[in-house]
Amino acid sequence: MPELPEVEVVRAGLAPAVVGARVSAIDVLDERALTRHPRGSADFVARLEGRAITAAARRGKFLWLPLDGDADALVAHLGMSGQLLLRSPDAPAERHERIRLHIEHPQHGRLAVVFADQRTFGSLAVDVLLSAPDGAAGGRGTAKALVPSQVAHIARDALDPAFDEAGFVVAVRRRASGIKRILLDQTLVSGIGNIYADESLWAARIHPETEGRSLSTRALRRLLHEVRLVLEKALAEGGTSFDAQYVNVNGQTGYFAHSLNAYGRTGQPCPRCGEPIARVAFMNRSSHLCPVCQRRR
DNA sequence: GGAATAACCTGGATGC
DNA sequence: TGCATCCAGGTTATTC
């Protein structure tokens, strides 16, 4: 389940191989991988073929590769199970391979960028670039204040130097929703999914159903601090892999699953107090929490 | 505008 | 062994 750390690992892995490369050909094997490109595969190919990639950028869980001219970019969202893999040009098809980009790099020669996705929630698109309203760099990996139109409504992530922390605190304190639901709202803070929401709330000792408006400014700043610590640690460990659903561009898994304190540890002792971690239903999925450390107010 | 929910999708795990 | 069901969850559209 790619969240911010996993997508950042992919971005950082792709960058040296794709920045400066030119797209020589595109194989679209499954149209469902272009749900974000409503004009279809022929238009996708026409807009991408022959173009040079100038950067590898990311905001939250969205990844984009700006194209020559700074007017548009190849946008990728990995969804639940998407992978972007670097392969040799004649490598056999991956299981669940949806799209293959053939690129030529001045130093590295010919390469294939493979988009594989088991559950087909992820997709690619060629999208126009818009000016970032705050004038700051659009995301990590680019110095230009440009962002794809499909990413424009997404807030900056907590690791972004231009993240509006004060604005986030004000917005949260207006909301009656539970704080976990708020953390998952990508228009307030991006990059957080179910795993890192549970981990951050455990670290901050906050119950996931605590209403946003009931949290103090101090508590919210402490929560953001814990969010950043969790994301940075996960990033340093290569992301979270429970199975082959998430891998880096070389097909390798991350190690952060060994560092989880709450998520996926139902019934196991809380690392802080020893109470068994509880799992509760949340929005057709699950929350994991310590019933002692994270008491509901 | 905020809040809640359904739908999309595949494959592994589980139960019978 | 085979079949049915559940579960994982990010985003978007829809409804209230």
Side-chain angles (χ1 to χ4, degrees):
Chain A
M1 298 112 201
E3 301 180 31
L4 185 154
E6 292 77 35
V7 180
E8 175 56 26
V9 168
V10 171
R11 186 204 67 78
L14 278 179
V18 304
V19 176
R22 192 171 292 278
V23 180
S24 55
I26 303 110
D27 301 328
V28 178
L29 308 175
D30 190 334
E31 290 273 347
R32 292 177 300 176
L34 290 175
T35 53
R36 291 182 179 278
H37 191 92
R39 294 182 178 183
S41 59
D43 183 80
F44 177 78
V45 170
R47 289 173 188 272
L48 198 50
E49 204 165 47
R51 306 289 299 281
I53 297 168
T54 60
R58 179 197 57 75
R59 177 186 291 194
K61 304 169 195 171
F62 280 88
L63 188 65
W64 69 93
L65 307 177
L67 301 168
D68 48 12
D70 282 343
D72 52 4
L74 172 62
V75 180
H77 194 289
L78 303 181
M80 286 291 299
S81 52
Q83 302 172 343
L84 281 167
L85 304 163
L86 285 173
R87 292 289 184 259
S88 59
D90 52 355
E94 297 287 328
R95 196 178 181 200
H96 308 302
E97 180 167 331
R98 312 293 181 190
I99 292 175
R100 178 173 294 215
L101 306 180
H102 301 272
I103 62 171
E104 293 187 15
H105 193 280
Q107 278 85 48
H108 308 307
R110 294 170 58 226
L111 285 169
V113 179
V114 171
F115 178 66
D117 188 10
Q118 179 200 100
R119 298 180 197 171
T120 68
F121 278 19
S123 68
L124 306 184
V126 177
D127 189 20
V128 296
L129 288 169
L130 306 176
S131 296
D134 59 7
R140 183 178 287 200
T142 178
K144 296 184 177 174
L146 296 170
V147 65
S149 73
Q150 297 184 18
V151 188
H153 68 293
I154 298 296
R156 293 181 180 276
D157 58 68
L159 298 184
D160 189 325
F163 174 67
D164 180 6
E165 183 165 324
F168 172 79
V169 169
V170 168
V172 172
R173 299 198 68 205
R174 285 190 184 136
R175 296 220 175 183
S177 298
I179 185 62
K180 178 168 175 181
R181 189 184 286 268
I182 293 171
L183 284 179
L184 296 178
D185 184 343
Q186 306 296 299
T187 66
L188 294 179
V189 57
S190 65
I192 302 171
N194 208 37
I195 297 173
Y196 297 113
D198 281 359
E199 289 301 301
S200 301
L201 290 168
W202 178 87
R205 302 176 185 239
I206 297 173
H207 191 284
E209 296 295 331
T210 306
E211 289 187 0
R213 62 188 177 187
S214 75
L215 288 164
S216 67
T217 297
R218 184 177 177 183
L220 287 170
R221 290 193 182 277
R222 185 165 52 86
L223 173 58
L224 278 174
H225 175 69
E226 297 295 350
V227 165
R228 292 188 177 107
L229 290 180
V230 167
L231 294 177
E232 284 167 354
K233 185 160 191 264
L235 190 52
E237 296 183 16
T240 304
S241 302
F242 295 108
D243 47 32
Q245 293 290 302
Y246 160 68
V247 294
N248 66 14
V249 295
N250 299 313
Q252 299 162 327
T253 55
Y255 294 97
F256 191 68
H258 303 289
S259 301
L260 294 173
N261 291 304
Y263 182 87
R265 298 190 68 248
T266 308
Q268 297 179 51
C270 168
R272 213 158 33 206
C273 72
E275 185 76 8
I277 295 292
R279 174 182 161 214
V280 297
F282 169 78
M283 289 172 68
N284 289 330
R285 51 203 70 173
S286 298
S287 286
H288 306 79
L289 62 127
C290 172
V292 171
C293 298
Q294 296 169 266
R295 290 190 190 280
R296 189 168 184 176
R297 301 184 185 191

